[in-house]
Amino acid sequence: MLDDAAEAVLRANWREGTRRDGTPFAFTCPSPRRYKHQWFWDSCFHAIAWTHIDRERAKEELRTLVRAGRPDGFMPHTAFWQASPRWRRAPLYATESFRGDTGTASIQTPLLAVAWERVAEGDDAFREEGLEPLAAYARWLIRERDPDGDGLLTILLPDESGLDDSPKYDAVYGSMAHWKPGYARLVQRCRRARWSAATLARTTDEHVEDVLINVAHALSLRALHRMSGGAEWAEHAARTEAALVERCWDERRGLFFDLAGRGETRVELSTWSSLAPLALPGIPRDIRERVANEHLLNPRRYGARFGVPSVSMEEPSFRPGFNAYRTWRGAAWVNTAWLLIGGLRSLGADDEADRIARGVADAAERSGFREYYHPRTGAGHGEHGFGWSTLLLDLPAGFSPTVGVNPSRTS
Ligand code: GLC
């Protein structure tokens, strides 16, 4: 039943055609009403969900993402294939200029190689096809977004991590937070600096070496290494993983924290991104076990009945209900569970992983494929027919992002 409903959502959100300049596109929009464009990490999740239904569509979705990119390797946070954003929403899109852009100048959580590897399972031609654009994208990120060369990527806008209004950004961005009017000033400042992270990291304090972004980066580098055999990717991944441990791990609290501004100040707030390194096999096992046992599975913190809350239930800023202008402040998203379940499975905690997967499925049974869910009641909030909630299809398969392919399927 849920499988059929998930397929119906993906089919209803499928968009294909040709852009005004003749470039063909085919992708899944996150939701038909509110999110009509192509979002970067949404498409990565959609492609993984499509592998359970129609692998050709999964391939087209990822090819379209690559086509939205530039020759220098950059790929945008949002691509506008069918129409430009309407004037009312235009200031919210981080474009180069105001009119005529085909995509943003900002990035989003770099999970593309993870998705590519999944879609290319057993398909060498598609794997080969990805190697060049994936390598160019990884090089762009390392060249442009690691201005201090410490192995950790930097985000300029809070929504570059996909966690737009997370309370972890409140103090860092202040009046320029994503949900405040000043956000338009932040975008304007990035435009003036021509989106140069080197310039902005040197002259301003509103930028973050973000844990989730770097987990996604390391996962993708590992996937690229497995796909290409290129030793440089394993070396880059190991560097990023080591930097996460050396610079972001808080031994006392047992969590990973972002580093913000020129002072690289730790942002000591417990959000699901503080747990995300659990998905990286290169992180020492004792650290991953602490994250799982003290936080993810702790009923006072993240161990909720319906999915994994995006903010610890113990944090004063935890707000799991609906707010039209603020997301990622406590509600449970399906992708959150997806990433962390993989980490749990790699620790052998399959029962716990299954329990979380069941909770997510229960929420979808009750409320349909909504954008996010109340972690205590399972009530659905935000958009209806939300694309990446169909990642649910991937939870029982036991896919682990830490090893690429589910070991039971290859044995
Ligand atoms: C919201 C989410 C972001 C997502 C986008 C499209 O802005 O915060 O993560 O990519 O919607 O679904």
Side-chain angles (χ1 to χ4, degrees), residues 125-207:
F126 188 68
R127 181 180 56 79
E128 288 277 330
E129 181 185 331
L131 297 183
E132 206 187 291
L134 291 172
Y137 179 53
R139 288 205 180 93
W140 186 92
L141 288 170
I142 293 164
R143 191 176 67 236
E144 299 293 329
R145 288 309 189 96
D146 183 9
D148 60 2
D150 66 351
L152 295 175
L153 303 181
T154 295
I155 57 170
L156 305 175
L157 305 176
D159 47 307
E160 288 194 310
S161 70
L163 311 180
D164 310 9
D165 311 307
S166 172
K168 71 178 183 159
Y169 300 128
D170 285 356
V172 181
Y173 287 93
S175 65
M176 294 192 282
H178 186 259
W179 50 282
K180 298 211 169 145
Y183 176 75
R185 266 192 290 128
L186 181 67
V187 172
Q188 198 47 37
R189 192 168 75 183
C190 290
R191 286 189 184 117
R192 271 202 310 273
R194 298 177 176 278
W195 296 94
S196 159
T199 304
L200 290 160
R202 206 178 51 241
T203 55
T204 71
D205 283 316
E206 291 79 13
H207 46 86

Coordinates of all heavy atoms in Angstrom, one line a residue, residues 125-207:
A125 N 28.1 1.3 -17.6 CA 28.1 2.5 -18.5 C 27.7 3.7 -17.7 O 28.2 4.8 -17.9 CB 27.2 2.2 -19.7
F126 N 26.7 3.6 -16.9 CA 26.2 4.8 -16.2 C 27.2 5.2 -15.1 O 27.5 6.4 -14.9 CB 24.8 4.5 -15.5 CG 24.2 5.7 -14.9 CD1 23.8 6.8 -15.7 CD2 24.1 5.9 -13.5 CE1 23.2 7.9 -15.1 CE2 23.6 7.0 -12.9 CZ 23.1 8.0 -13.7
R127 N 27.9 4.2 -14.5 CA 29.0 4.6 -13.6 C 30.0 5.4 -14.3 O 30.4 6.5 -13.8 CB 29.6 3.3 -13.0 CG 30.7 3.5 -12.0 CD 31.2 2.2 -11.4 NE 31.7 1.3 -12.5 CZ 32.9 1.4 -13.1 NH1 33.7 2.4 -12.7 NH2 33.3 0.6 -14.1
E128 N 30.5 4.9 -15.4 CA 31.5 5.6 -16.2 C 31.1 7.0 -16.6 O 31.9 8.0 -16.5 CB 31.8 4.9 -17.5 CG 32.5 3.6 -17.4 CD 34.0 3.8 -17.3 OE1 34.5 4.7 -17.9 OE2 34.7 3.0 -16.6
E129 N 29.8 7.1 -17.0 CA 29.3 8.4 -17.4 C 29.4 9.5 -16.3 O 29.6 10.7 -16.5 CB 27.8 8.2 -17.8 CG 27.1 9.4 -18.3 CD 25.6 9.1 -18.5 OE1 25.2 8.0 -18.8 OE2 24.8 10.1 -18.3
G130 N 29.3 9.0 -15.0 CA 29.3 9.9 -13.9 C 30.7 10.4 -13.5 O 30.9 11.4 -12.8
L131 N 31.7 9.6 -13.9 CA 33.1 9.9 -13.3 C 33.6 11.3 -13.5 O 34.1 12.0 -12.6 CB 34.1 8.9 -13.7 CG 33.8 7.4 -13.3 CD1 34.8 6.5 -13.8 CD2 33.5 7.3 -11.8
E132 N 33.4 11.8 -14.7 CA 34.0 13.1 -15.0 C 33.2 14.2 -14.3 O 33.9 15.0 -13.6 CB 34.0 13.3 -16.5 CG 35.1 14.3 -16.9 CD 34.9 14.6 -18.4 OE1 35.2 13.7 -19.2 OE2 34.6 15.7 -18.7
P133 N 31.9 14.3 -14.5 CA 31.2 15.4 -13.8 C 31.3 15.3 -12.2 O 31.4 16.3 -11.5 CB 29.7 15.3 -14.2 CG 29.6 13.9 -14.9 CD 31.0 13.6 -15.4
L134 N 31.3 14.1 -11.7 CA 31.4 14.0 -10.2 C 32.8 14.4 -9.7 O 32.9 15.1 -8.7 CB 31.2 12.5 -9.8 CG 29.7 12.0 -10.0 CD1 29.7 10.5 -9.7 CD2 28.8 12.7 -9.1
A135 N 33.8 14.1 -10.5 CA 35.2 14.5 -10.1 C 35.3 16.0 -10.2 O 35.9 16.7 -9.3 CB 36.2 13.8 -11.0
A136 N 34.7 16.6 -11.3 CA 34.8 18.0 -11.5 C 34.1 18.8 -10.3 O 34.5 19.8 -9.8 CB 34.2 18.4 -12.8
Y137 N 32.9 18.2 -9.9 CA 32.2 18.8 -8.8 C 32.9 18.7 -7.5 O 33.0 19.7 -6.8 CB 30.8 18.1 -8.7 CG 29.9 18.6 -7.6 CD1 29.6 20.0 -7.5 CD2 29.3 17.7 -6.7 CE1 28.7 20.4 -6.5 CE2 28.5 18.2 -5.7 CZ 28.2 19.5 -5.6 OH 27.4 20.0 -4.6
A138 N 33.5 17.6 -7.2 CA 34.3 17.4 -6.0 C 35.5 18.4 -6.0 O 35.8 19.0 -5.0 CB 34.8 16.0 -5.8
R139 N 36.1 18.5 -7.1 CA 37.3 19.5 -7.2 C 36.8 20.9 -7.0 O 37.5 21.7 -6.3 CB 38.0 19.3 -8.6 CG 38.7 18.1 -8.7 CD 39.9 18.2 -9.7 NE 40.5 16.8 -9.7 CZ 40.2 15.9 -10.5 NH1 39.3 16.1 -11.5 NH2 40.8 14.7 -10.4
W140 N 35.6 21.2 -7.5 CA 35.1 22.6 -7.4 C 34.9 22.9 -5.9 O 35.3 23.9 -5.4 CB 33.8 22.8 -8.2 CG 33.3 24.2 -8.1 CD1 33.6 25.2 -9.0 CD2 32.5 24.8 -7.1 NE1 33.0 26.4 -8.6 CE2 32.4 26.2 -7.5 CE3 31.9 24.4 -5.9 CZ2 31.6 27.1 -6.7 CZ3 31.2 25.3 -5.1 CH2 31.1 26.6 -5.5
L141 N 34.3 21.9 -5.2 CA 34.0 22.1 -3.8 C 35.3 22.3 -3.0 O 35.4 23.2 -2.1 CB 33.2 20.9 -3.2 CG 31.7 20.8 -3.7 CD1 31.2 19.4 -3.2 CD2 30.9 21.9 -3.1
I142 N 36.3 21.5 -3.3 CA 37.5 21.5 -2.5 C 38.2 22.8 -2.8 O 38.8 23.5 -1.9 CB 38.4 20.3 -2.8 CG1 37.7 19.0 -2.3 CG2 39.8 20.4 -2.3 CD1 38.2 17.7 -2.8
R143 N 38.2 23.2 -4.1 CA 38.9 24.5 -4.5 C 38.2 25.7 -4.0 O 38.9 26.6 -3.5 CB 39.0 24.5 -6.0 CG 39.9 25.5 -6.6 CD 40.0 25.4 -8.1 NE 38.7 25.7 -8.8 CZ 38.0 24.8 -9.6 NH1 38.5 23.6 -9.8 NH2 36.9 25.2 -10.1
E144 N 36.9 25.8 -4.1 CA 36.2 27.0 -3.8 C 35.6 27.1 -2.4 O 35.3 28.2 -2.0 CB 35.0 27.1 -4.8 CG 35.4 27.2 -6.3 CD 36.2 28.5 -6.6 OE1 35.9 29.5 -6.0 OE2 37.1 28.4 -7.5
R145 N 35.4 26.0 -1.8 CA 34.7 26.0 -0.5 C 35.4 25.6 0.7 O 34.9 25.3 1.7 CB 33.3 25.2 -0.7 CG 32.3 25.9 -1.5 CD 32.1 27.4 -1.1 NE 30.9 28.0 -1.7 CZ 29.7 28.1 -1.2 NH1 29.5 27.6 0.0 NH2 28.8 28.6 -1.9
D146 N 36.8 25.4 0.5 CA 37.6 25.1 1.7 C 38.7 26.2 1.8 O 39.9 25.9 1.6 CB 38.2 23.7 1.6 CG 39.0 23.3 2.8 OD1 39.0 24.1 3.8 OD2 39.7 22.3 2.7
P147 N 38.3 27.4 2.0 CA 39.3 28.5 1.9 C 40.5 28.4 2.9 O 41.5 28.8 2.5 CB 38.4 29.8 2.2 CG 37.1 29.3 2.8 CD 36.9 27.9 2.3
D148 N 40.3 27.8 4.0 CA 41.5 27.6 4.9 C 42.2 26.3 4.7 O 43.1 26.0 5.5 CB 41.1 27.9 6.4 CG 40.0 26.9 6.9 OD1 39.6 26.0 6.1 OD2 39.6 27.0 8.1
G149 N 41.7 25.5 3.8 CA 42.4 24.3 3.4 C 42.5 23.2 4.6 O 43.4 22.4 4.6
D150 N 41.5 23.2 5.5 CA 41.6 22.3 6.6 C 40.9 21.0 6.3 O 40.8 20.1 7.2 CB 41.1 22.9 7.9 CG 39.6 23.3 7.9 OD1 39.0 23.1 6.8 OD2 39.1 23.6 8.9
G151 N 40.3 20.9 5.1 CA 39.5 19.6 4.8 C 38.1 19.7 5.1 O 37.3 18.8 4.8
L152 N 37.6 20.9 5.7 CA 36.2 21.1 5.9 C 35.6 22.1 5.0 O 36.2 23.2 4.9 CB 36.0 21.6 7.4 CG 36.4 20.6 8.5 CD1 36.2 21.2 9.9 CD2 35.5 19.3 8.4
L153 N 34.5 21.8 4.3 CA 33.9 22.8 3.4 C 33.1 23.8 4.3 O 32.7 23.6 5.4 CB 32.9 22.1 2.5 CG 33.4 21.0 1.6 CD1 32.3 20.4 0.8 CD2 34.6 21.4 0.8
T154 N 33.0 25.0 3.7 CA 32.3 26.1 4.3 C 31.0 26.4 3.6 O 31.0 26.4 2.3 CB 33.2 27.4 4.2 OG1 34.4 27.1 5.0 CG2 32.5 28.6 4.8
I155 N 29.9 26.7 4.3 CA 28.7 27.2 3.7 C 28.6 28.7 3.9 O 29.0 29.2 5.0 CB 27.4 26.5 4.1 CG1 27.2 26.5 5.6 CG2 27.5 25.1 3.6 CD1 25.8 26.1 6.0
L156 N 28.1 29.4 2.9 CA 27.9 30.9 3.1 C 26.5 31.2 3.5 O 26.3 32.2 4.3 CB 28.2 31.5 1.7 CG 29.6 31.2 1.1 CD1 29.7 31.8 -0.3 CD2 30.7 31.7 2.0
L157 N 25.5 30.4 3.0 CA 24.1 30.7 3.4 C 23.7 29.5 4.2 O 24.1 28.4 4.0 CB 23.3 30.7 2.2 CG 23.7 31.8 1.1 CD1 22.7 31.6 -0.1 CD2 23.6 33.2 1.7
P158 N 22.8 29.7 5.2 CA 22.3 28.6 6.0 C 21.6 27.5 5.2 O 21.8 26.3 5.5 CB 21.3 29.2 7.0 CG 21.0 30.6 6.5 CD 22.2 31.0 5.6
D159 N 20.9 27.9 4.2 CA 20.2 26.9 3.4 C 21.1 26.1 2.5 O 20.6 25.1 1.9 CB 19.1 27.5 2.6 CG 19.5 28.8 1.8 OD1 20.1 29.7 2.5 OD2 19.3 28.8 0.6
E160 N 22.4 26.4 2.4 CA 23.3 25.5 1.6 C 23.4 24.1 2.2 O 23.8 23.2 1.5 CB 24.6 26.2 1.5 CG 24.6 27.4 0.5 CD 25.9 27.9 0.1 OE1 26.8 28.1 0.9 OE2 26.1 28.1 -1.2
S161 N 23.1 24.0 3.5 CA 23.2 22.6 4.1 C 21.8 21.9 3.9 O 21.7 20.8 4.3 CB 23.4 22.8 5.6 OG 22.3 23.3 6.3
G162 N 20.8 22.6 3.4 CA 19.5 22.1 3.3 C 18.7 22.3 4.6 O 17.5 22.0 4.6
L163 N 19.3 22.7 5.7 CA 18.6 22.9 7.0 C 18.3 24.3 7.2 O 18.6 24.9 8.3 CB 19.6 22.3 8.1 CG 20.2 20.9 7.8 CD1 21.0 20.5 9.0 CD2 19.1 19.9 7.6
D164 N 17.6 24.9 6.3 CA 17.4 26.4 6.2 C 17.3 27.1 7.6 O 18.0 28.1 7.8 CB 16.2 26.7 5.4 CG 16.1 25.9 4.1 OD1 16.9 25.1 3.9 OD2 15.2 26.2 3.3
D165 N 16.3 26.8 8.4 CA 16.0 27.6 9.6 C 16.4 26.9 10.8 O 15.9 27.3 11.9 CB 14.5 27.9 9.6 CG 13.9 28.4 8.3 OD1 14.5 29.3 7.8 OD2 13.0 27.8 7.8
S166 N 17.3 25.9 10.7 CA 17.7 25.2 12.0 C 18.2 26.2 13.0 O 18.9 27.2 12.7 CB 18.9 24.3 11.6 OG 19.5 23.8 12.8
P167 N 17.8 26.0 14.3 CA 18.2 26.9 15.4 C 19.7 27.0 15.5 O 20.2 28.0 16.1 CB 17.5 26.3 16.6 CG 17.2 24.9 16.3 CD 17.0 24.9 14.8
K168 N 20.4 26.0 14.9 CA 21.9 26.1 15.1 C 22.4 27.4 14.3 O 23.6 27.8 14.6 CB 22.6 24.8 14.6 CG 22.6 24.6 13.1 CD 23.3 23.3 12.8 CE 23.4 23.0 11.3 NZ 24.4 22.1 11.0
Y169 N 21.7 27.9 13.4 CA 22.1 29.1 12.7 C 21.6 30.4 13.3 O 22.0 31.5 12.8 CB 21.7 29.0 11.2 CG 22.2 27.8 10.4 CD1 21.3 27.0 9.8 CD2 23.5 27.5 10.4 CE1 21.7 25.9 9.1 CE2 24.0 26.4 9.8 CZ 23.1 25.6 9.1 OH 23.5 24.5 8.4
D170 N 20.8 30.4 14.3 CA 20.2 31.6 14.8 C 21.3 32.6 15.3 O 21.3 33.8 14.8 CB 19.3 31.3 16.0 CG 17.9 30.7 15.5 OD1 17.7 30.6 14.3 OD2 17.1 30.4 16.4
A171 N 22.2 32.1 16.1 CA 23.2 33.0 16.7 C 24.2 33.4 15.6 O 24.7 34.6 15.6 CB 23.9 32.4 17.9
V172 N 24.5 32.5 14.7 CA 25.5 32.8 13.7 C 25.0 33.9 12.7 O 25.8 34.9 12.4 CB 25.9 31.5 12.9 CG1 26.9 31.8 11.8 CG2 26.3 30.4 13.8
Y173 N 23.8 33.7 12.2 CA 23.3 34.6 11.2 C 22.5 35.8 11.7 O 22.3 36.8 11.0 CB 22.6 33.9 10.1 CG 23.5 33.0 9.2 CD1 23.7 31.7 9.5 CD2 24.1 33.6 8.1 CE1 24.6 30.9 8.8 CE2 25.0 32.8 7.3 CZ 25.2 31.5 7.7 OH 26.0 30.8 6.9
G174 N 22.1 35.7 13.0 CA 21.4 36.9 13.6 C 20.2 37.4 12.7 O 19.4 36.6 12.3
S175 N 20.3 38.7 12.5 CA 19.2 39.3 11.7 C 19.2 38.8 10.2 O 18.3 39.1 9.5 CB 19.2 40.8 11.8 OG 20.4 41.2 11.1
M176 N 20.2 38.1 9.8 CA 20.3 37.7 8.4 C 19.9 36.2 8.3 O 20.2 35.5 7.3 CB 21.7 37.9 7.8 CG 22.0 39.4 7.7 SD 23.4 39.8 6.7 CE 24.7 39.5 7.9
A177 N 19.4 35.6 9.4 CA 19.0 34.2 9.3 C 18.0 34.0 8.2 O 17.3 34.9 7.7 CB 18.3 33.8 10.7
H178 N 17.9 32.8 7.8 CA 17.0 32.5 6.6 C 15.6 32.9 6.7 O 14.9 33.3 5.8 CB 17.1 30.9 6.3 CG 16.5 30.5 5.1 ND1 15.2 29.9 5.0 CD2 16.9 30.6 3.8 CE1 14.9 29.6 3.8 NE2 15.9 30.0 3.0
W179 N 15.1 32.9 8.0 CA 13.7 33.2 8.2 C 13.4 34.6 8.5 O 12.3 35.0 8.9 CB 13.1 32.3 9.2 CG 13.9 32.2 10.5 CD1 15.0 31.4 10.7 CD2 13.6 32.8 11.7 NE1 15.4 31.6 12.0 CE2 14.6 32.4 12.6 CE3 12.6 33.7 12.2 CZ2 14.6 32.9 14.0 CZ3 12.6 34.1 13.5 CH2 13.6 33.7 14.4
K180 N 14.5 35.5 8.4 CA 14.3 36.9 8.8 C 14.5 37.7 7.5 O 15.2 37.3 6.5 CB 15.4 37.3 9.8 CG 15.2 36.5 11.1 CD 15.7 37.4 12.2 CE 15.3 36.7 13.6 NZ 16.3 36.9 14.6
P181 N 13.9 38.9 7.5 CA 14.0 39.8 6.3 C 15.4 40.1 5.9 O 15.8 40.2 4.7 CB 13.3 41.1 6.7 CG 12.5 40.7 7.9 CD 13.1 39.5 8.6
G182 N 16.3 40.1 6.9 CA 17.8 40.4 6.6 C 18.4 39.4 5.7 O 19.6 39.6 5.2
Y183 N 17.8 38.2 5.5 CA 18.4 37.2 4.7 C 18.7 37.8 3.3 O 19.7 37.5 2.7 CB 17.5 36.0 4.6 CG 18.0 34.9 3.6 CD1 19.0 34.1 4.0 CD2 17.4 34.7 2.4 CE1 19.4 33.1 3.1 CE2 17.8 33.7 1.5 CZ 18.9 32.9 1.9 OH 19.3 31.9 1.0
A184 N 17.8 38.7 2.8 CA 18.0 39.3 1.5 C 19.4 40.0 1.4 O 20.0 40.1 0.4 CB 16.9 40.2 1.1
R185 N 19.7 40.6 2.6 CA 21.0 41.4 2.6 C 22.2 40.4 2.6 O 23.2 40.7 2.0 CB 21.1 42.1 4.0 CG 20.6 43.6 3.9 CD 21.0 44.3 5.2 NE 20.2 43.8 6.3 CZ 20.8 43.4 7.5 NH1 22.1 43.5 7.7 NH2 20.0 43.0 8.5
L186 N 22.0 39.3 3.2 CA 23.1 38.3 3.2 C 23.3 37.8 1.7 O 24.5 37.7 1.3 CB 22.7 37.1 4.0 CG 23.6 35.9 4.2 CD1 24.9 36.3 4.9 CD2 23.0 34.7 4.9
V187 N 22.2 37.5 1.0 CA 22.4 37.1 -0.4 C 23.0 38.2 -1.2 O 23.9 38.0 -2.0 CB 21.0 36.8 -1.0 CG1 21.0 36.5 -2.5 CG2 20.4 35.5 -0.3
Q188 N 22.6 39.4 -1.0 CA 23.1 40.6 -1.7 C 24.7 40.7 -1.5 O 25.4 41.0 -2.4 CB 22.4 41.9 -1.3 CG 22.5 43.1 -2.2 CD 22.3 42.7 -3.7 OE1 21.5 41.9 -4.0 NE2 23.1 43.3 -4.5
R189 N 25.1 40.5 -0.2 CA 26.5 40.6 0.1 C 27.3 39.5 -0.6 O 28.4 39.7 -1.1 CB 26.7 40.4 1.6 CG 28.0 40.8 2.1 CD 28.1 40.9 3.6 NE 28.1 39.6 4.2 CZ 28.0 39.4 5.5 NH1 28.0 40.5 6.3 NH2 28.0 38.2 6.0
C190 N 26.7 38.3 -0.7 CA 27.4 37.2 -1.5 C 27.5 37.6 -2.9 O 28.5 37.3 -3.6 CB 26.6 35.9 -1.3 SG 26.6 35.2 0.3
R191 N 26.4 38.2 -3.5 CA 26.5 38.6 -4.9 C 27.6 39.6 -5.1 O 28.4 39.5 -6.0 CB 25.2 39.3 -5.3 CG 24.1 38.3 -5.5 CD 22.9 39.1 -6.1 NE 21.7 38.1 -6.2 CZ 20.6 38.3 -5.6 NH1 20.3 39.3 -4.8 NH2 19.6 37.4 -5.7
R192 N 27.7 40.6 -4.2 CA 28.8 41.6 -4.3 C 30.2 40.9 -4.2 O 31.1 41.4 -4.9 CB 28.7 42.6 -3.2 CG 27.7 43.8 -3.6 CD 28.1 45.0 -2.7 NE 28.1 44.7 -1.3 CZ 27.0 44.7 -0.5 NH1 25.8 45.0 -1.0 NH2 27.1 44.4 0.8
A193 N 30.3 39.9 -3.4 CA 31.6 39.2 -3.3 C 31.8 38.2 -4.4 O 32.7 37.3 -4.3 CB 31.8 38.6 -1.9
R194 N 30.9 38.2 -5.4 CA 30.9 37.2 -6.5 C 30.9 35.8 -5.9 O 31.6 34.9 -6.5 CB 32.1 37.4 -7.4 CG 32.0 38.8 -8.1 CD 33.1 39.0 -9.0 NE 33.0 40.3 -9.7 CZ 32.2 40.5 -10.7 NH1 31.6 39.4 -11.3 NH2 32.1 41.7 -11.3
W195 N 30.2 35.5 -4.8 CA 30.1 34.2 -4.2 C 31.5 33.6 -3.9 O 31.6 32.4 -3.9 CB 29.3 33.3 -5.2 CG 27.9 33.8 -5.3 CD1 27.4 34.6 -6.3 CD2 26.8 33.6 -4.4 NE1 26.1 34.9 -6.0 CE2 25.7 34.3 -4.9 CE3 26.7 32.9 -3.2 CZ2 24.5 34.3 -4.2 CZ3 25.5 32.8 -2.6 CH2 24.4 33.5 -3.1
S196 N 32.5 34.5 -3.6 CA 33.8 33.9 -3.3 C 33.8 33.6 -1.8 O 33.8 34.5 -1.0 CB 34.9 35.0 -3.7 OG 36.0 34.7 -2.9
A197 N 34.0 32.3 -1.5 CA 34.0 31.9 -0.1 C 35.3 32.4 0.5 O 35.4 32.8 1.7 CB 34.0 30.4 0.1
A198 N 36.4 32.5 -0.3 CA 37.7 33.0 0.2 C 37.5 34.5 0.7 O 37.9 34.8 1.8 CB 38.7 33.0 -0.9
T199 N 36.8 35.3 -0.1 CA 36.6 36.7 0.3 C 35.7 36.8 1.5 O 36.1 37.5 2.5 CB 36.0 37.5 -0.9 OG1 36.8 37.4 -2.0 CG2 35.8 39.0 -0.5
L200 N 34.6 36.1 1.5 CA 33.7 36.2 2.6 C 34.2 35.6 3.9 O 33.9 36.1 5.0 CB 32.3 35.5 2.2 CG 31.6 36.3 1.1 CD1 30.6 35.5 0.3 CD2 30.9 37.6 1.7
A201 N 35.0 34.5 3.8 CA 35.5 33.9 5.0 C 36.6 34.9 5.6 O 36.8 34.9 6.8 CB 36.1 32.6 4.7
R202 N 37.2 35.7 4.8 CA 38.2 36.6 5.3 C 37.6 37.8 5.9 O 38.2 38.4 6.8 CB 39.2 36.9 4.1 CG 40.6 37.3 4.5 CD 41.5 37.6 3.3 NE 40.9 38.6 2.4 CZ 40.6 38.3 1.1 NH1 40.8 37.1 0.6 NH2 40.0 39.2 0.4
T203 N 36.5 38.3 5.4 CA 36.0 39.6 5.7 C 34.7 39.6 6.6 O 34.3 40.7 7.0 CB 35.7 40.4 4.4 OG1 34.8 39.6 3.6 CG2 37.0 40.7 3.7
T204 N 34.0 38.5 6.7 CA 32.8 38.5 7.5 C 32.8 37.3 8.4 O 33.6 36.4 8.4 CB 31.6 38.3 6.5 OG1 31.6 36.9 6.0 CG2 31.6 39.3 5.3
D205 N 31.7 37.3 9.3 CA 31.6 36.2 10.3 C 30.4 35.2 10.0 O 30.2 34.3 10.7 CB 31.5 36.7 11.7 CG 32.9 37.2 12.2 OD1 33.8 36.4 12.0 OD2 32.9 38.3 12.7
E206 N 29.6 35.5 9.0 CA 28.4 34.7 8.7 C 28.7 33.6 7.7 O 28.3 33.7 6.5 CB 27.3 35.6 8.3 CG 26.7 36.5 9.3 CD 27.6 37.8 9.5 OE1 28.5 38.0 8.7 OE2 27.4 38.5 10.5
H207 N 29.5 32.6 8.2 CA 29.8 31.4 7.3 C 30.1 30.3 8.3 O 30.6 30.6 9.4 CB 30.9 31.7 6.4 CG 32.1 32.4 7.0 ND1 33.1 31.7 7.6 CD2 32.4 33.7 7.1 CE1 34.0 32.6 8.1 NE2 33.6 33.8 7.8

